[in-house]
Amino acid sequence: MSRLRVLLVDDEPLALDRLMALFRQLPDVEVVGTASDGQRASEAIAALRPDLVMLDIQMPEKCGLAVAADLSHGERPEIVFVTAFEQFAPDAFEVEATDYLLKPVRFDRLRQAVERAKRRRMLHEAVAAKPAPRDDAAAYDQAIWVQVRSGQQRVPVDAIDWIEAARDYVMLHTATRSYIHRTTMSALQRQLDPAQLMRVHRSAFVRLGLVTALQRVGNGSVTLTLRDGATVPVGPHYLQSITDRLGLAKA
């Protein structure tokens, strides 16, 4: 992949300087410009056509959420919000944010967000070139349609790494972002092919091919660690079938 072209947007000069210093430590990225308010950010995105925009939320002229919401889908860059406030996270993912970083930005989280943006760009290209699923695979759903700000979005099942329950909703976690979807775990168990996403707890499904470790923690509980570092609890009733599928002796 070619170098990732990045635009930095923040109304605080010190915050811009910090981001610039952090980006100098990352390989295969190029900071192509900066902007200090929402209106200049929109103009810079149109003029520079960056691959990734690091976007503050609370700014003069136009807030970062409005900047992201106004972007067209055709030539849209990846958006990583950078803010001091946690409460905007649900709104950020409604405008299809790639990631959401809290200030002061840690280098490890910035690197993770940039890698996610790179994977997301490559996945977009791969999905566009991928053939449609065969009819004989139709016993289970091949995709889940989720509500997003602009309407409905199709999330391919084979792009989902794991799923967790969240009250009346579920969170679908992919390599590039997470989606909130209103359904139940029981309904998903009927929809999903267990060869792809296996139920490992009453509140979680996991793609077992992404599991890198199975660990016993306090009180006899067991967790799975995934390739991206996420940890998922294992319910006692699911443990034997999971260890069988992973080719392990019972934990």
Side-chain angles (χ1 to χ4, degrees):
M1 180 180 174
S2 59
R3 291 169 68 84
L4 198 71
R5 303 174 68 255
V6 184
L7 174 69
L8 308 181
V9 182
D10 201 300
D11 64 328
E12 299 176 5
L14 288 177
L16 278 178
D17 290 345
R18 176 175 171 79
L19 275 179
M20 186 74 75
L22 291 174
F23 268 97
R24 290 194 190 103
Q25 302 176 54
L26 291 172
D28 301 323
V29 297
E30 177 187 4
V31 176
V32 296
T34 64
S36 57
D37 62 56
Q39 186 58 44
R40 288 190 177 93
S42 295
E43 294 168 357
I45 292 169
L48 298 173
R49 303 170 67 87
D51 303 312
L52 169 63
V53 180
M54 306 296 296
L55 186 58
D56 191 14
I57 290 183
Q58 291 193 320
M59 295 184 295
E61 303 296 333
K62 187 177 183 181
C63 77
L65 291 169
V67 172
D70 288 345
L71 294 172
S72 64
H73 287 275
E75 301 279 338
R76 184 187 181 92
E78 305 301 327
I79 301 292
V80 172
F81 285 105
V82 184
T83 178
F85 304 98
E86 296 182 1
Q87 66 265 30
F88 297 115
D91 294 325
F93 287 110
E94 281 295 309
V95 292
E96 302 182 42
T98 302
D99 211 333
Y100 189 91
L101 305 184
L102 291 175
K103 296 178 180 178
V105 177
R106 304 194 322 267
F107 178 69
D108 61 326
R109 278 294 287 121
L110 176 64
R111 180 170 54 191
Q112 183 183 38
V114 170
E115 289 304 314
R116 175 176 277 194
K118 290 178 180 178
R119 289 198 303 269
R120 181 166 168 141
R121 283 170 55 77
M122 290 188 290
L123 279 172
H124 285 167
E125 296 171 0
V127 167
K130 187 174 181 179
R134 293 169 47 185
D135 291 341
D136 58 7
Y140 295 100
D141 288 358
Q142 302 300 311
I144 298 174
W145 287 91
V146 300
Q147 185 74 37
V148 295
R149 187 184 183 91
S150 57
Q152 298 281 328
Q153 181 166 335
R154 183 180 185 271
V155 180
V157 169
D158 59 10
I160 299 172
D161 293 349
W162 68 289
I163 301 171
E164 65 177 321
R167 296 186 181 178
D168 297 330
Y169 296 82
V170 298
M171 295 289 292
L172 311 177
H173 299 289
T174 75
T176 57
R177 66 164 289 182
S178 300
Y179 299 89
I180 298 175
H181 179 51
R182 191 179 185 98
T183 190
T184 65
M185 299 298 278
S186 297
L188 284 177
Q189 190 158 9
R190 294 189 295 270
Q191 294 172 255
L192 300 175
D193 183 353
Q196 288 200 69
L197 288 163
M198 184 175 182
R199 193 165 187 179
V200 300
H201 191 276
R202 60 186 177 84
S203 61
F205 291 83
V206 162
R207 186 173 300 279
L208 291 186
L210 300 180
V211 172
T212 60
L214 183 149
Q215 297 177 312
R216 186 174 294 280
V217 293
N219 301 321
S221 300
V222 174
T223 63
L224 300 174
T225 302
L226 306 189
R227 184 174 58 193
D228 65 357
T231 58
V232 184
V234 175
H237 298 300
Y238 301 93
L239 182 58
Q240 185 61 60
S241 57
I242 292 166
T243 54
D244 289 346
R245 282 277 301 275
L246 291 174
L248 302 172
K250 185 174 181 180

